[in-house]
Amino acid sequence: IPKADGVIAISRYLADYYGERGLPVAIVPPTTSTIAPGRWQSDSRLRLCYAGNPGHKDDLGAVLRAVARIAAQGAPVQLTVAGPGRPEVLRLLGDSVEQDIPWLRTPGMLEHADVQQLVGSSDFSILARQPCRTSQAGFPTKFVESFASGTPVIANLTSDLHLHLRDGETGLVCASPDADSIASSVMRALALGGEAKERMRKACIEHARGAFHPAGYADVLYNL
């Protein structure tokens, strides 16, 4: 890469890294031209979703433990985890025994259209990442896809998420990626009414059109 004419970086972290080495850099986050609100309506339950492969980046276990704790208190919450199989989800939860867990849905791998429908119909998508070099240098595409469906995000701030995730406006910010902080943010989400959620959804769509549509980076790339 140091021998290239320029670099397209997905985050400010990488832009700074290559900029310090004298390379021209353009910052372009993940983009999508499919920006449209999903089919959502307010419900008595808080519907959360996670869609993707957690790999070594996402701390899905912390999310599962946080929601389990809240559900055990009788809160009306539902988490749908799409991607990992149920045995893997149960392992991350810390329970390897197959059992009925009313608050957890595990449909497994879904087609892209089904993922869009799931995310678009949820109240929030939820994401936790440890602030390591990988998470600071990358940028979660699932974050962009959630905004593009009009679904606010519950997450801690890594990479450039602070530029997009505005607490109480486009989602809820977790102080850290541990189960306690995640549970606190989920409790805040439970207290929101339908009108507040609708305002967040509109704010996400508006922000996605300005920040994540590829047309917005034409000049950046032209001038690289």
Side-chain angles (χ1 to χ4, degrees), residues 1-52:
I1 289 180
K3 296 181 180 180
D5 294 330
V7 170
I8 301 171
I10 202 171
S11 65
R12 170 55 61 184
Y13 183 99
L14 289 177
D16 290 343
Y17 177 85
Y18 289 113
E20 290 171 359
R21 284 153 180 77
L23 289 170
V25 180
I27 302 177
V28 181
T31 60
T32 177
S33 57
T34 307
I35 299 175
R39 294 183 178 180
W40 173 87
Q41 60 182 11
S42 187
D43 191 281
S44 59
R45 301 165 300 169
L46 177 68
R47 294 162 299 177
L48 307 173
C49 74
Y50 173 90

Side-chain angles (χ1 to χ4, degrees), residues 34-189:
T34 307
I35 299 175
R39 294 183 178 180
W40 173 87
Q41 60 182 11
S42 187
D43 191 281
S44 59
R45 301 165 300 169
L46 177 68
R47 294 162 299 177
L48 307 173
C49 74
Y50 173 90
N53 177 15
H56 298 294
K57 303 185 300 296
D58 301 342
D59 195 344
L60 181 55
V63 171
L64 289 162
R65 292 190 296 274
V67 178
R69 183 187 308 172
I70 292 170
Q73 299 171 2
V77 61
Q78 175 184 283
L79 172 63
T80 300
V81 177
R86 189 171 182 83
E88 173 67 8
V89 175
L90 292 177
R91 185 188 67 79
L92 292 171
L93 178 58
D95 189 349
S96 60
V97 179
E98 180 67 31
Q99 60 176 304
D100 180 41
I101 303 176
W103 57 267
L104 178 63
R105 295 178 63 244
T106 54
M109 293 293 294
L110 297 176
E111 296 290 338
H112 183 64
D114 294 327
V115 171
Q116 288 181 308
Q117 181 178 353
L118 167 64
V119 174
S121 63
S122 298
D123 295 311
F124 290 88
S125 62
I126 188 164
L127 175 68
R129 289 189 168 186
Q130 298 296 327
C132 61
R133 185 181 184 188
T134 300
S135 61
Q136 299 294 11
F139 194 109
T141 55
K142 55 179 67 69
F143 182 92
V144 174
E145 291 166 350
S146 188
F147 268 47
S149 296
T151 301
V153 180
I154 297 174
N156 64 303
L157 298 178
T158 58
S159 185
D160 293 340
L161 297 194
H162 66 282
L163 300 175
H164 312 284
L165 183 55
R166 298 191 289 266
D167 191 70
E169 184 176 344
T170 57
L172 299 173
V173 175
C174 299
S176 66
D178 59 76
D180 288 340
S181 296
I182 297 167
S184 177
S185 293
V186 172
M187 291 299 293
R188 290 176 60 200

